[in-house]
Amino acid sequence: MNSELLATRKLSIRMCSCSGPQTLIGPVDLSVPEKGITALVGESGCGKTVVSLAILGLLPAGSEAKGVISFNGTDLLSLKEKELREMRGKEIAYIPQNPATALTPVLSAEDQIAETLYYHEGLTGASLHRKVISLLESMGLYNPEHVARSCPHTLSGGMRRRVAIAAALACSPRLIIADEPTSGLDSRTRKNVLDLLGRSSEGRAMLLITHDLEAALSVSDRITVMYAGEVVETGDIMDVFDSPAHPYTRALLSATPSRGLIPIPGNSPLLSTIPEGCRFAPRCPHSTARCRLRHPSLTRLSGTRVVRCDMPC
Amino acid sequence: MYWNYLVKRLAISIITFFIAACIIFLLLRTMPGDFVSNLVLSFGNTLPQETVEAFYRANGLDRPLHAQLVTFFSGAFTFNTGTSFLYGVPAGGLIADRIGWTLLLLIPAAVFSLFIGVLLGVWSSWKQGSGTDSSLLAFMMAVRAIPSYWWGTMAILFFAFLIPFFPLGGYTSLTVLDSGLSIQDVLWHAALPVVVLTLVGIPGTYYLMRNSMIHTLQEDYILFARARGLPETRVVRHAFRCALLPVITMSALQIAGLIMGSVFVETVFSWPGVGLLTTEALQNRDLPVLEAIFLLDTVAIIVANLVVDLSYPLLDPRVKRYGE
Amino acid sequence: MASKQRILLGLALSIIAVYVIIAIAAPLLTPYSPMTSCGPPLQSPGPDHLLGTDDLGRDIAAELVYGTRFALVIGFAGAAIAVTISATVGIALGYTGGRTDEVCSRIIDVMMAIPQFPLLLVLTLFFTPGLFLIALIMGVLAGIHGIRLIRSQVLSTSQAPFIEGVRGLGAGDGYIMRHHILPALGPLLSVKFVSTAQHFMVIGVGLGFLGLVDPNVTDWGQMISRATQYGGFSLGLWWWLVPPGIAITVISIALGVLGTRTEEANNPRLTLARM
């Protein structure tokens, strides 16, 4: 059995807002096994990106994370900034939302890949250069020497994406966090990117953050669904796909093109005005008076299957 | 290709200078209430008519406008705009004598203020929102609000008058009569004016740098650099490389501010540079000298802009090497 | 934090209000005229003359009070002229576009290459101007310099979708300029007005300091320059030298605070980041 690499327990994130600090996100209980892709799915604004920043320890100034983020047995939240920094890039890699704009415009591709290797593995000189070239090659770039010398603005969007992924994965991290890697792409590019990510994550763990349920279904092994800042359902991808337990998951699945594009009524709540009781209750077709009063807790359905609903299907 | 761009920018600069010179010429020589009658009025209108006419003739002011224009331009490129009314020597020569003294103040002040402004701006943006940042911001606002001539006067009052450590003004002590001009003595006299000019120049660079850094630090690539576990010094260097470019473009504007500052500061400290020459020429209505100074300042600003424009494509890989 | 900022803003506004009152009520505040000798020269401060008298026997307090008029008129009238010129020409050019815009923009580019301050000096020398003429010259020069910024702002605003929408509803050009573009420029113009006023006061007093202002006008710059030349330092008459400098510094800082607050109020991102 695949053991757990990353797990968050009762992770809640307080963010600064106009009317004083307040809990916005959480509790989030997330589990990423050592191998394979775990998808974290939810509508935009449900707090997926904030969770990924919290794992990296890169929350914006003024916000605070509570709970436990355990990575390979250590609690990341208890680490000092320096220890955390040594973890980032070496153990945990982050592929940002738009890798095409994620490269510093005035530095060459080689500089940016090399600096990661230099700071984490202490490589220098010719061995550093060789490693950079082999990384670029493994990303499927045909002329790695030329690409290495180029500044980002001379490369095409697709090439930039590959360079950025090479820089992120340079030190063979054990966990890769990919934040919306497919947003805003046409379907062909989307497939290419997903293939590339799938290949690069072979034998490692990946947390794929996306609002694109179909992308999640096509590549991942496990799925966690978030709604309005909290986890509503977790399970193996096929189980969730075949028999979604939470009404929100079911609604999301019905909203995919292959299942008829049925919209979910209403809007998801703003994170600052979260309803009491079940957060999905106002939009849920099966909600009862009890749902609106009592906030349901996560209940284990079977093995690794967890759902936050008092009346799961 | 870069050469084409260079030649084009050079041509534009020369044309700009030519037009600026034309404008100042027409403005001063064709405006209603001509200059000399104003000058005569300032003597209480007591000069005999012959003296006035002799003055016109001596300075070529009686000739037709187009002839004056030709003389003006034949001298304009060497700043020889005529004979100083006050000193009776060519204006270009006066400027040549004084420019060294001005540069002795301006160059250190420009370098120091640029360096300190950039440094504090980067620091402030990195600590954005903290106590240090807001106190630095408030301090810079105050420095900018206080006029340069008042900074100078205060500096003299405190560090030369109340605590008589620095000299009250001028460029040398009286010992010059016995032992000749000594470098230490001149530098000792230059210290306060340089400090004041530097101080006055800092806020502009500071604001530009801070703003530019704050915008850059919000970019995706900074988050990505942090997410790769790069040390914070390296992350700031990424941002700095990108944020410095707009500051360099704007630095040409700082030259104009420094020229203005030097007029006030040299006057306060009686420092014998072009700034003090400006004030003397103004107080004595010395038109040719003022025209020459005006042309000099125009050239300084045009050249500064040219240098920035020409170096920008070399500094920023995103700009195409060969111009627009 | 926020309340401290509010106190600072209130303080700045009250300082500006006090200066305006002093400028208007000058004759009521001092029995002396700032231009005529009213006692022996170089007196120390005393009950008759709160800040003593200068080398010509003029009451320093009276000069100080009347000097407020000079600074305020240069600052506010000059800034009003500058902002009006920048706004009207900038809106007209940016909104009309086409050939006129191109030709005018070229001309303005060349004008901007001419250093403003030396030009200002030459012009003031030419006219030996009084108060209003200085304000006019400064306003026109700075107005021309401001056109480019306003024009580019108008260009980006007039291409915004909401302007197209309004045009689609049948609004005329004049209506759009007055009711949509001008209000959209409001924040920028108000920031520009305050910072220009501050700049002009400092420069205007500076012109007096350089001896360029009509000697029949009372201004702080001439006071400072006279004081430094006729005994402010050598005789230690600090009550003659320091008050005019403090006066210009205080109003300049007050306007600086007001300018910063106006800028922040119009740029919420900056304020958010600062919390």
Side-chain angles (χ1 to χ4, degrees), chain B residues 72-155:
Chain B
F72 179 79
F73 269 108
S74 60
F77 287 91
T78 50
F79 308 122
N80 260 324
T81 44
T83 308
S84 161
F85 294 165
L86 181 66
Y87 294 97
V89 295
L94 271 178
I95 287 188
D97 290 345
R98 302 286 195 101
I99 187 82
W101 291 106
T102 292
L103 292 179
L104 190 63
L105 296 189
L106 277 191
I107 291 174
V111 172
F112 292 153
S113 64
L114 198 69
F115 189 72
I116 299 173
V118 163
L119 210 68
L120 291 180
V122 169
W123 195 43
S124 202
S125 67
W126 189 47
K127 298 254 168 205
Q128 197 204 349
S130 71
T132 354
D133 177 39
S134 38
S135 17
L136 255 179
L137 261 178
F139 174 72
M140 289 297 171
M141 202 211 63
V143 170
R144 195 164 65 160
I146 299 173
S148 51
Y149 46 88
W150 190 241
W151 275 118
T153 313
M154 300 286 280

Side-chain angles (χ1 to χ4, degrees), chain A residues 85 88-89 94 96 101-107 112 115-116 119-120 153 164 167, chain B residues 220-221 223-224 226-232 234 238 241-242 245 315-318:
Chain A
R85 190 171 67 223
R88 290 198 290 261
Y94 176 75
T101 60
L103 294 173
T104 304
V106 294
L107 295 176
Q112 304 193 45
E115 62 187 0
T116 321
Y119 283 110
H120 288 302
H153 67 102
Chain B
D220 275 0
Y221 51 81
L223 177 67
F224 187 46
R226 288 202 171 116
R228 276 179 289 151
L230 303 182
E232 204 58 16
R234 178 79 191 173
H238 275 237
R241 286 280 307 261
C242 301
L245 290 164
L315 293 171
D316 187 352
R318 283 166 296 181

Side-chain angles (χ1 to χ4, degrees), chain A residues 27-133:
Chain A
V28 177
D29 287 43
L30 192 67
S31 150
V32 180
E34 222 167 17
K35 289 192 176 67
I37 300 181
T38 305
L40 181 61
V41 179
E43 288 169 70
S44 348
C46 74
K48 311 173 300 249
T49 301
V50 177
V51 169
S52 68
L53 293 181
I55 296 170
L56 290 160
L58 288 176
L59 285 173
S63 19
E64 191 192 351
K66 281 210 180 104
V68 176
I69 303 177
S70 123
F71 176 80
N72 200 25
T74 38
D75 181 11
L76 295 183
L77 288 179
S78 68
L79 290 185
K80 292 196 187 66
E81 171 56 28
K82 187 169 174 293
E83 297 164 319
L84 204 55
R85 190 171 67 223
E86 277 160 14
M87 207 76 124
R88 290 198 290 261
K90 178 144 181 67
E91 302 279 331
I92 307 175
Y94 176 75
I95 299 174
Q97 218 168 85
N98 186 357
T101 60
L103 294 173
T104 304
V106 294
L107 295 176
S108 74
E110 173 159 11
D111 285 344
Q112 304 193 45
I113 300 173
E115 62 187 0
T116 321
L117 288 162
Y118 171 78
Y119 283 110
H120 288 302
E121 299 188 348
L123 290 181
T124 48
S127 58
L128 182 59
H129 179 72
R130 272 198 305 280
K131 174 86 197 206
V132 170
I133 298 301

Side-chain angles (χ1 to χ4, degrees), chain C residues 161-215:
Chain C
F162 78 93
I163 295 289
E164 255 165 57
V166 176
R167 195 172 294 137
L169 292 173
D173 285 347
Y175 181 86
I176 292 177
M177 278 196 241
R178 264 179 290 119
H179 287 88
H180 289 280
I181 294 190
L182 195 57
L185 284 176
L188 180 66
L189 292 179
S190 51
V191 170
K192 199 97 187 120
F193 177 79
V194 176
S195 65
T196 312
Q198 180 197 6
H199 190 61
F200 279 10
M201 284 186 198
V202 168
I203 302 264
V205 173
L207 290 179
F209 177 78
L210 294 179
L212 281 175
V213 179
D214 186 345

Side-chain angles (χ1 to χ4, degrees), chain A:
Chain A
M1 177 66 201
N2 208 340
S3 68
E4 198 175 60
L5 180 65
L6 175 87
T8 67
R9 300 272 172 268
K10 298 211 164 33
L11 172 67
S12 64
I13 299 153
R14 257 178 3 151
M15 290 187 74
C16 172
S17 81
C18 298
S19 49
Q22 57 187 133
T23 303
L24 291 182
I25 314 283
V28 177
D29 287 43
L30 192 67
S31 150
V32 180
E34 222 167 17
K35 289 192 176 67
I37 300 181
T38 305
L40 181 61
V41 179
E43 288 169 70
S44 348
C46 74
K48 311 173 300 249
T49 301
V50 177
V51 169
S52 68
L53 293 181
I55 296 170
L56 290 160
L58 288 176
L59 285 173
S63 19
E64 191 192 351
K66 281 210 180 104
V68 176
I69 303 177
S70 123
F71 176 80
N72 200 25
T74 38
D75 181 11
L76 295 183
L77 288 179
S78 68
L79 290 185
K80 292 196 187 66
E81 171 56 28
K82 187 169 174 293
E83 297 164 319
L84 204 55
R85 190 171 67 223
E86 277 160 14
M87 207 76 124
R88 290 198 290 261
K90 178 144 181 67
E91 302 279 331
I92 307 175
Y94 176 75
I95 299 174
Q97 218 168 85
N98 186 357
T101 60
L103 294 173
T104 304
V106 294
L107 295 176
S108 74
E110 173 159 11
D111 285 344
Q112 304 193 45
I113 300 173
E115 62 187 0
T116 321
L117 288 162
Y118 171 78
Y119 283 110
H120 288 302
E121 299 188 348
L123 290 181
T124 48
S127 58
L128 182 59
H129 179 72
R130 272 198 305 280
K131 174 86 197 206
V132 170
I133 298 301
S134 76
L135 270 169
L136 287 173
E137 246 166 358
S138 71
M139 285 295 132
L141 288 161
Y142 296 115
N143 194 346
E145 288 284 351
H146 175 77
V147 171
R149 277 194 306 274
S150 309
C151 276
H153 67 102
T154 59
L155 300 172
S156 72
M159 286 158 101
R160 263 182 268 173
R161 194 177 291 276
R162 281 158 203 270
V163 170
I165 293 175
L169 307 185
C171 304
S172 326
R174 298 173 67 182
L175 171 67
I176 303 166
I177 301 175
D179 188 1
E180 300 273 11
T182 59
S183 68
L185 296 182
D186 60 62
S187 56
R188 208 174 64 89
T189 326
R190 195 173 78 161
K191 181 149 187 336
N192 284 342
V193 169
L194 287 174
D195 286 350
L196 181 68
L197 286 179
R199 253 186 292 120
S200 356
S201 67
E202 249 163 58
R204 311 184 218 184
M206 178 187 275
L207 178 62
L208 175 70
I209 293 171
T210 181
H211 64 261
D212 180 351
L213 197 57
E214 297 212 305
L217 291 173
S218 69
V219 292
S220 32
D221 308 305
R222 286 179 58 78
I223 185 167
T224 294
V225 181
M226 275 182 80
Y227 179 76
E230 63 182 10
V231 170
V232 293
E233 182 164 3
T234 297
D236 285 336
I237 193 89
M238 288 330 284
D239 295 347
V240 174
F241 186 71
D242 290 337
S243 56
H246 196 280
Y248 176 65
T249 317
R250 203 165 342 127
L252 263 189
L253 279 166
S254 317
T256 55
S258 52
R259 296 209 183 174
L261 280 171
I262 300 159
I264 308 175
N267 291 311
S268 55
L270 291 174
L271 288 174
S272 47
T273 56
I274 283 168
E276 279 180 60
C278 175
R279 293 181 183 177
F280 189 58
R283 301 168 75 185
C284 180
H286 312 293
S287 69
T288 61
R290 191 162 159 270
C291 291
R292 289 169 191 270
L293 290 175
R294 210 186 78 89
H295 185 230
S297 50
L298 281 176
T299 42
R300 189 167 298 272
L301 289 181
S302 65
T304 54
R305 192 78 191 282
V306 178
V307 68
R308 188 188 294 279
C309 182
D310 289 336
M311 305 177 293
C313 317

Side-chain angles (χ1 to χ4, degrees), chain B residues 228-281:
Chain B
R228 276 179 289 151
L230 303 182
E232 204 58 16
T233 47
R234 178 79 191 173
V235 173
V236 170
R237 248 180 56 195
H238 275 237
F240 179 71
R241 286 280 307 261
C242 301
L244 192 61
L245 290 164
V247 177
I248 290 175
T249 339
M250 302 298 277
S251 64
L253 287 180
Q254 309 280 70
I255 301 283
L258 271 175
I259 288 175
M260 182 163 98
S262 76
V263 172
F264 286 117
V265 171
E266 287 184 14
T267 307
V268 171
F269 287 95
S270 328
W271 182 264
V274 178
L276 187 62
L277 183 68
T278 315
T279 312
E280 288 170 2

